[in-house]
Amino acid sequence: MQRLVVIGAGMASGRVLETLFETDPDAFAVTLFNAEPRGNYNRIMLSPVLSGEKSFEEIVTHSDDWYGEHKVTCRFGEKVVAIDRARKVVVGEKGEVPYDRLIVATGSVPFIVPVEGRDLDGVITYRDLDDTNRMIEASGRPGSRAVVIGGGLLGLEAAAGLRLRGMEVTVLHLSGHLMDRQLDEAAGYLLRKDLEKRGIAVMTRASTERILGDTRVEAVELADGTRLEADLVVMAVGIRPSVEIARAAGLAVNRAIVVDAQMRTSDPDIYAVGECVEFNGTLFGLVAPLYEQAKVLANCLVGKPGSFSVRELSTKLKVTGCDLFSAGDFSVGEGREEIVLRDPSQGVYRRLVIENDRLVGAVMYGDTGDANWFFDLIRDGAPVAAMRETLIFGQSYQGAAPLDPMAAVAALPDDAEICGCNGVCKSKITGAITSKGLTSLDAVRVHTKASSSCGTCTGLVEQLMALTLGNAFNPQAVKPMCGCTDLGHADVRRLIVAKQLKSIPEVMQELEWKTSCGCAKCRPALNYYLIADWPGEYVDDDQSRFINERVHANIQKDGTYSVVPRMWGGITSAKELRAIADVADKFQIPTVKCTGGQRIDLLGVKKEDLPAVWADLNAAGMVSGAAYGKALRTVKTCVGTDWCRFGTQDSTGLGVRIEKFMWGSWTPAKVKMAVSGCPRNCAEATCKDVGVICTDAGYEIHFAGAAGLDIKGTEVLTQVKTEDEALEMIVALVQLYREQGHYLERIYKWLKRVGMESVRAAVVDDAEKRRFYFERFVKSQETAQRDPWADRASGGVASHEFRPMAEITFKEAAE
Amino acid sequence: MSAIMDPATATTRTFVEATEVWVPKDGRLVWSSGNYGALDAFAAVSEEKSFGKGEGLPGKAWDEARPVVLKAFDGSYFQRAEAARAAGLTSAVAVPVFAGSELKAVVVVLCADDDQRTGAIEVWCEANGLLMLDDGYYGAARHFEWVSQHTHFPPGQGLPGGVWAANAPMLMRDLGSGYRFIRADSAGKAGLTTGLGLPIAVPGRQTYVLTLLSARGTPIARRFELWNARSSRSGAASEAALADGICQREGPLWNDEHERRVAAWQGPIGEVLGTGLPLVKYDTALLTAGYASMVALPIYRDGTLAHVVAWYY
């Protein structure tokens, strides 16, 4: 009988032995080493053990009796020190064992985030039963708090288990959404919502700076200075193959032990299986391919044919009540189309990605009933053109006609609730339409209250009107924001506030976006709306901005950038001019030009030089002029009473004051201002978005001018007597525009849409309202007045934009 | 190993004496199925009964649209008090089964007090963002009852909080550790180790969670199964997959590699899928791994059948 030695009693090697004993029970005398003091158990079910939903005994795969029955010599709790290939022996801590064939199944080890404090007591990884028991023990202390670093599969299962055990749990995740390797942004949002419903705090874009404590963990400090108290820190950021023994033995090792399709290493008598192997450049962390490897290896050992190949994988999360599924490649790319189905009331999201008439990826949340069917379609590469229209609805809908929304509405019973906010049923709406002769949505809103609150039932109400009125119904012509939604800008803005939507994925899910991630039209708009509506709460999404706003400079036709520092009210100094000259020399900037907005433009700056250019300009006291942004650009001034014989007021002073008060604020479109010291209007204030004409009597506030593609003189908003009143009026006006304007809609277009009467009513006629808008602007400026150049010059923010990308990837921990 | 897997418990008495299902018919609740063990006289009385809305225990659960615990029959609205007294039954819990606003059935479990029988049937109700004990029947587990009355669960914590947050049934093996601390300690002392938690859907926004806590000596059941019937929302709920389960005779029932599925009308679980109604069966040893009796309860979510929970004894 040949001698087979196995290093590692994990799931892969366990399956090898099972298959081997089933195929040829007498082929080998087996010796099994395991560093853990126990045999094989179903490691991927440790999270239910942690949560209390399984007992450890239930997940033991091979009992002592099983090993005895198959005459396996178990050397559990004994580490392998070396493999001596020349003598064909495995050297254990307690002695050597000769082999004819050897299987290396050393698995993987958790990746430890290399931060200060990682060795403190109470900082653990999540890999085996001992880790699980440590977590269970920690959770037994009343009021204890856990921080889980890593929002992947393993981290989230740990978090849910610890929460169920009674801990206060915070999950830290470096990326923008949870499980970013397995889910898209939309599904990640629903998962986060689900976890938060369980009382688990989730922090994305959270970078761990250090772990604090003397001997035992006390807190986790993040890069932004946030401190999180912690009694337990669980690191679940990924795994790396355990290859030291193999490498020391001289086996071929890249990122893991290199094997062929029969799981043979570079030594023909030594095999490797599981998470420690690399096949065709691929590493493995999920259990399905490990079992496939095991089957191939067992067959190979007894001379049966078999060949391992990499197949599509699917993902599920073992947290009760979190129904998610993903498979295949669901990245966006040329030649790919997606089908998206969202049901916000049920928390359902489905997305299919199709390429060349084949389903190549699927992401599902909340309704995973058809997951297996979609997975089969992906693996089989079956053509889907014939079922394209109904594919998203799942297997049971194949062969059926596409859903007719009108038929569905017609089929609703009379007592079906249409408007959840106001409790309005179908019969009340249809009854009101017929009895009162209602023909417009507004009239239905007035008489029934349906669709008058959050507005999400508007589509249903309109369908009911169409059903009841037939051709007599003319739906309001609302131009959708883009092809991703049927809603117009006004509805989206209203619903963001009414439904308290505070992130782009949340808006897209709750407002039933038809695409997974939006487009270049809607994402910048949503990003602006959220910034404007939730100052201090919403985190600006750089990826939802166009290149100029992302790099805070204007891209030129040759790929270089122009840099315009702010010059308050058009005033500069010798020091600033010297700094600009020095920057131009130092970075060999070819063109220095005066702009129409009384500033200096440095043209031809290389992208990689931008942070250094900004650093030098910052050092001279200058900040970004936002010449690239949908934001306050310039406040142009004349010299006013300081120098001009005709000046009636300190126009320069007011211009500087306005600019210093309002810089940094984002607006629907660019905002240019000017202050002229007399009606001669040298600052050309009457063609600006907001202009002030100073007079002997005070200040004439103008707005809604244009001098670009459209030429338009300003409208006079009002006249005030003092500089303070002028400032308050202008700020309130801009804030009103910020809250009502559609993205890319200049002030003059906004005025045309909303009417002078409504603007005056809010800003001029009602002092309380004016103050309200003024104060809301002030509030938003608390977080807005931060120089983007300074942030980026230090290398702390968005540094990837200005340097070649370096990619470090870790393999996700096994299920 | 959990209590229900302990072979020593095979011959002990169970915590619940009788289980019955009442379904609406012509505006009244009529007897549909039931298992009364040897309590034939009580069974005979029950099978002839019907209840209007608000009448008796089933009618009260229907009327109030919530689970109702009744710990003493004498002098109460319980209409079969005399027969119950004769049968030795002392307490009952009625659980309404709603699909949206439609009442599908009322399940009533009846228990008999004595000094030995320990277990817990609890109703938890949301108040101010926490789950508080609405009422419960504990048998001889008096200290545990007191502790439970003074415990609350935030979302996601413990069996009640976990069920509430997940909106799905859960089967916990380990109530004696970390289970809101003091309650865990008390549960351990009372021998309560295994817990089944069920979300109880009722019309409106109120949240109820029903927990059945099983003790080693007097288990509520010897086999538990949790079936996930949440098939595609756009298709019919025609089959279910076994999500979790444990059995005194067969050990763990779950299989993470090969999902066990049943189709509508296939066996007792399939019958629940097909009818959408709770089911009580007895003398079904061939169907139920040798157990004489079973209860299968449909769990609805948003008006559709989402899970089937079954227990066998």
Side-chain angles (χ1 to χ4, degrees):
Chain A
M1 189 183 279
Q2 285 207 310
R3 295 162 300 186
L4 174 67
V5 176
V6 182
I7 306 173
M11 296 176 69
S13 64
R15 183 57 61 94
V16 173
L17 295 180
E18 279 175 19
T19 313
L20 184 63
F21 294 144
E22 281 168 17
T23 314
D24 189 349
D26 300 319
F28 291 96
V30 178
T31 300
L32 178 60
F33 281 92
N34 199 22
E36 275 190 73
R38 57 188 71 87
N40 183 23
Y41 58 91
N42 189 341
R43 196 181 296 274
I44 62 173
M45 296 307 282
L46 278 172
S47 51
V49 173
L50 172 63
S51 70
E53 290 170 277
K54 300 277 182 291
S55 65
F56 176 68
E57 289 83 351
E58 284 177 76
I59 71 166
V60 171
T61 317
H62 298 143
S63 64
D64 291 346
D65 289 348
W66 187 87
Y67 289 118
E69 185 188 325
H70 293 96
K71 302 182 181 61
V72 177
T73 304
C74 298
R75 298 188 53 163
F76 296 157
E78 181 180 355
K79 284 182 185 166
V80 168
V81 178
I83 301 165
D84 186 336
R85 290 168 56 201
R87 295 192 296 126
K88 293 186 81 167
V89 295
V90 170
V91 184
E93 287 174 324
K94 296 174 186 168
E96 297 181 350
V97 180
Y99 68 83
D100 297 308
R101 308 279 186 93
L102 172 64
I103 298 174
V104 180
T106 42
S108 61
V109 291
F111 182 78
I112 311 281
V113 185
V115 292
E116 182 187 326
R118 63 187 179 278
D119 298 323
L120 288 170
D121 192 16
V123 179
I124 64 169
T125 55
Y126 186 18
R127 188 69 193 141
D128 57 26
L129 178 66
D130 296 330
D131 298 329
T132 307
N133 285 335
R134 271 194 285 274
M135 285 192 263
I136 291 172
E137 189 186 335
S139 70
R141 286 189 288 274
S144 51
R145 292 150 302 188
V147 171
V148 177
I149 302 175
L153 282 169
L154 201 61
L156 298 183
E157 289 178 5
L162 291 168
R163 178 64 183 167
L164 211 54
R165 291 266 175 192
M167 293 189 91
E168 299 300 326
V169 183
T170 302
V171 174
L172 306 178
H173 193 54
L174 199 54
S175 302
H177 67 268
L178 296 171
M179 287 180 64
D180 53 296
R181 292 164 63 87
Q182 295 90 1
L183 300 180
D184 61 14
E185 191 182 44
Y189 154 72
L190 285 170
L191 174 59
R192 177 181 185 143
K193 194 174 163 188
D194 231 340
L195 294 170
E196 287 174 343
K197 204 173 91 181
R198 290 158 200 261
I200 296 169
V202 176
M203 298 175 75
T204 49
R205 295 193 180 94
S207 175
T208 304
E209 187 70 22
R210 62 179 64 87
I211 300 169
L212 306 170
D214 289 331
T215 56
R216 192 176 165 75
V217 60
E218 293 171 10
V220 173
E221 187 179 300
L222 306 185
D224 66 2
T226 304
R227 181 188 159 104
L228 301 163
E229 305 298 320
D231 304 289
L232 176 74
V233 172
V234 181
M235 286 198 185
V237 292
I239 54 172
R240 55 186 172 80
S242 180
V243 296
E244 286 71 22
I245 294 283
R247 183 176 277 132
L251 296 175
V253 174
N254 286 334
R255 288 187 295 160
I257 304 166
V258 178
V259 294
D260 64 14
Q262 281 70 46
M263 311 315 294
R264 262 188 305 258
T265 68
S266 53
D267 181 330
D269 291 326
I270 302 179
Y271 301 82
V273 70
E275 291 172 340
C276 62
V277 309
E278 179 181 329
F279 173 72
N280 281 350
T282 304
L283 304 182
F284 304 90
L286 300 177
V287 76
L290 269 56
Y291 282 165
E292 188 62 30
Q293 291 171 8
K295 190 175 161 191
V296 169
L297 173 49
N299 284 334
C300 185
L301 285 171
V302 294
K304 290 174 79 174
S307 186
F308 175 70
S309 60
V310 180
R311 303 184 71 188
E312 292 290 351
L313 297 173
S314 64
T315 296
K316 284 184 177 175
L317 181 72
K318 288 183 295 301
V319 174
T320 302
C322 279
D323 296 327
L324 68 82
F325 169 85
S326 78
D329 178 0
F330 47 85
S331 58
V332 178
E334 202 174 327
R336 291 188 166 189
E337 58 168 328
E338 63 176 14
I339 310 172
V340 173
L341 174 72
R342 299 180 194 251
D343 182 348
S345 65
Q346 305 298 326
V348 166
Y349 169 76
R350 279 185 173 194
R351 177 176 167 227
L352 304 177
V353 180
I354 296 169
E355 186 174 33
N356 296 327
D357 192 29
R358 303 287 189 274
L359 186 64
V360 295
V363 188
M364 303 163 73
Y365 199 95
D367 175 9
T368 55
D370 287 302
N372 291 337
W373 183 66
F374 286 126
F375 189 42
D376 287 345
L377 286 177
I378 292 169
R379 279 195 307 193
D380 299 345
V384 295
M387 48 186 169
R388 171 71 176 72
E389 290 297 310
T390 53
L391 185 64
I392 193 76
F393 301 116
Q395 189 173 16
S396 57
Y397 265 76
Q398 298 322 304
L403 289 173
D404 176 0
M406 291 295 282
V409 171
L412 287 173
D414 279 350
D415 61 353
E417 190 175 76
I418 302 294
C419 175
C421 297
N422 297 301
V424 187
C425 67
K426 179 182 171 182
S427 62
K428 184 170 178 185
I429 297 169
T430 51
I433 292 168
T434 47
S435 65
K436 296 183 167 51
L438 309 179
T439 56
S440 73
L441 181 63
D442 284 340
V444 172
R445 282 174 174 156
V446 168
H447 283 90
T448 67
K449 292 201 180 337
S451 164
S452 63
S453 294
C454 84
T456 38
C457 63
T458 299
L460 266 179
V461 174
E462 286 185 329
Q463 283 170 355
L464 273 180
M465 294 183 72
L467 207 63
T468 313
L469 295 170
N471 291 337
F473 175 61
N474 288 313
Q476 289 177 339
V478 175
K479 190 182 171 197
M481 271 178 79
C482 61
C484 302
T485 177
D486 294 331
L487 297 169
H489 284 270
D491 279 333
V492 171
R493 291 217 71 169
R494 181 174 55 79
L495 291 168
I496 282 174
V497 176
K499 295 169 83 72
Q500 303 259 306
L501 308 177
K502 297 186 178 178
S503 71
I504 289 176
E506 192 174 8
V507 172
M508 291 182 175
Q509 176 64 22
E510 304 306 329
L511 303 187
E512 297 182 62
W513 239 242
K514 293 186 281 187
T515 56
S516 59
C517 305
C519 67
K521 279 186 178 175
C522 60
R523 279 197 82 97
L526 293 180
N527 191 51
Y528 166 70
Y529 295 152
L530 291 163
I531 284 175
D533 289 332
W534 310 114
E537 286 186 71
Y538 174 70
V539 180
D540 191 0
D541 179 24
D542 256 10
Q543 295 310 308
S544 297
R545 290 188 176 279
F546 294 115
I547 180 67
N548 288 353
E549 291 190 350
R550 218 161 57 229
V551 299
H552 293 272
N554 275 320
I555 193 164
Q556 304 298 308
K557 69 177 190 179
D558 65 351
T560 64
Y561 287 82
S562 85
V563 168
V564 183
R566 198 169 279 286
M567 287 179 175
W568 311 104
I571 295 290
T572 186
S573 66
K575 182 191 167 197
E576 286 183 351
L577 291 172
R578 277 193 196 94
I580 289 170
D582 288 345
V583 163
D585 285 346
K586 182 177 173 181
F587 295 96
Q588 297 178 313
I589 294 168
T591 302
V592 182
K593 186 184 180 306
C594 292
T595 73
Q598 297 182 338
R599 310 196 282 193
I600 291 176
D601 192 349
L602 297 158
L603 288 142
V605 182
K606 292 194 279 292
K607 191 179 184 184
E608 57 270 29
D609 286 343
L610 286 171
V613 167
W614 296 336
D616 286 2
L617 294 172
N618 279 162
M622 285 179 274
V623 298
S624 166
Y628 45 79
K630 314 291 177 253
L632 174 67
R633 297 279 181 92
T634 59
V635 184
K636 190 173 177 179
T637 66
C638 67
V639 293
T641 49
D642 279 354
W643 296 95
C644 180
R645 288 173 298 142
F646 304 108
T648 60
Q649 307 285 350
D650 178 12
S651 53
T652 315
L654 176 58
V656 170
R657 192 176 166 195
I658 290 170
E659 192 165 351
K660 288 202 167 177
F661 198 88
M662 301 187 74
W663 76 276
S665 62
W666 295 104
T667 43
K670 61 186 173 187
V671 172
K672 294 180 175 179
M673 298 190 187
V675 183
S676 285
C678 76
R680 288 170 184 79
N681 194 14
C682 293
E684 298 159 340
T686 51
C687 64
K688 301 297 182 194
D689 296 291
V690 179
V692 180
I693 302 293
C694 300
T695 65
D696 289 327
Y699 305 84
E700 215 171 68
I701 313 293
H702 292 238
F703 77 118
L709 283 173
D710 292 326
I711 308 291
K712 180 182 173 299
T714 51
E715 309 284 338
V716 177
L717 178 68
T718 187
Q719 292 189 15
V720 295
K721 288 181 179 167
T722 68
E723 208 177 78
D724 287 349
E725 289 174 297
L727 184 69
E728 184 182 84
M729 198 67 73
I730 290 166
V731 167
L733 171 71
V734 171
Q735 181 63 17
L736 184 69
Y737 166 58
R738 292 181 77 233
E739 293 185 17
Q740 293 184 348
H742 298 170
Y743 189 64
L744 301 183
E745 182 180 54
R746 293 287 292 269
I747 284 188
Y748 70 97
K749 288 184 176 171
W750 163 67
L751 174 66
K752 190 176 174 187
R753 179 167 59 82
V754 302
M756 179 62 89
E757 200 178 324
S758 79
V759 175
R760 284 204 174 119
V763 176
V764 179
D765 303 341
D766 187 332
E768 204 173 308
K769 273 190 186 166
R770 181 167 64 247
R771 197 68 203 167
F772 168 79
Y773 285 111
F774 178 85
E775 283 167 2
R776 283 176 63 80
F777 184 84
V778 170
K779 173 75 181 165
S780 76
Q781 288 295 81
E782 286 173 8
T783 47
Q785 284 196 327
R786 192 180 167 101
D787 179 30
W789 287 359
D791 288 341
R792 284 153 183 80
S794 65
V797 177
S799 51
H800 62 279
E801 289 283 5
F802 310 105
R803 68 170 183 234
M805 187 177 286
E807 212 170 271
I808 301 167
T809 55
F810 301 115
K811 191 154 61 85
E812 183 74 60
E815 293 188 289
Chain B
M1 192 66 73
S2 67
I4 58 164
M5 292 183 69
D6 183 353
T9 62
T11 56
T12 53
R13 297 175 68 189
T14 53
F15 186 63
V16 175
E17 283 283 329
T19 307
E20 55 191 16
V21 177
W22 302 84
V23 295
K25 185 181 178 189
D26 302 330
R28 293 184 68 78
L29 284 172
V30 298
W31 188 90
S32 167
S33 60
N35 179 11
Y36 300 89
L39 308 177
D40 293 338
F42 185 77
V45 169
S46 299
E47 287 169 18
E48 297 302 317
K49 287 288 292 182
S50 72
F51 299 95
K53 200 171 185 181
E55 291 176 7
L57 181 60
K60 188 176 173 70
W62 176 17
D63 185 37
E64 296 184 3
R66 66 183 185 91
V68 177
V69 178
L70 185 59
K71 286 185 268 195
F73 294 153
D74 288 341
S76 76
Y77 49 80
F78 193 78
Q79 294 193 354
R80 295 168 285 166
E82 196 174 322
R85 193 183 310 113
L89 299 169
T90 54
S91 321
V93 180
V95 181
V97 178
F98 282 97
S101 57
E102 178 195 358
L103 181 79
K104 304 290 284 188
V106 174
V107 174
V108 178
V109 295
L110 298 119
C111 305
D113 258 344
D114 61 36
D115 292 341
Q116 279 81 44
R117 272 196 262 209
T118 298
I121 302 173
E122 305 172 303
V123 177
W124 296 86
C125 179
E126 188 267 336
N128 300 319
L130 296 170
L131 274 190
M132 316 292 287
L133 186 69
D134 189 55
D135 207 345
Y137 173 68
Y138 294 84
R142 303 286 181 220
H143 180 261
F144 185 71
E145 179 175 11
W146 184 87
V147 169
S148 299
Q149 285 165 348
H150 296 84
T151 304
H152 61 262
F153 287 93
Q157 285 193 347
L159 178 58
V163 170
W164 176 29
N167 196 12
M170 294 174 91
L171 181 59
M172 293 190 75
R173 275 71 157 175
D174 185 11
L175 300 181
S177 173
Y179 186 61
R180 291 305 285 175
F181 318 115
I182 298 169
R183 190 168 135 101
D185 183 50
S186 181
K189 284 175 182 161
L192 299 166
T193 55
T194 306
L196 176 65
L198 313 172
I200 303 298
V202 296
R205 297 185 185 278
Q206 186 61 59
T207 296
Y208 289 99
V209 172
L210 181 78
T211 56
L212 308 175
L213 310 185
S214 198
R216 191 181 303 273
T218 50
I220 284 178
R222 296 190 172 94
R223 177 187 175 102
F224 293 94
E225 294 174 353
L226 268 55
W227 294 85
N228 187 354
R230 296 194 74 211
S231 60
S232 173
R233 296 178 50 74
S234 31
S238 56
E239 63 173 7
L242 186 67
D244 196 6
I246 193 162
C247 174
Q248 186 177 290
R249 293 180 179 146
E250 297 181 352
L253 302 174
W254 52 272
N255 186 327
D256 60 326
E257 279 188 78
H258 306 290
E259 207 170 47
R260 197 175 135 198
R261 304 185 80 87
V262 295
W265 307 109
Q266 182 187 345
I269 303 301
E271 193 175 332
V272 176
L273 287 175
T275 62
L277 296 174
L279 182 69
V280 175
K281 274 187 175 282
Y282 56 95
D283 295 337
T284 56
L286 283 178
L287 290 174
T288 59
Y291 294 104
S293 311
M294 72 167 297
V295 178
L297 184 67
I299 304 292
Y300 285 86
R301 184 196 289 189
D302 303 318
T304 57
L305 205 163
H307 300 89
V308 177
V309 176
W311 56 91
Y312 304 76
Y313 49 97

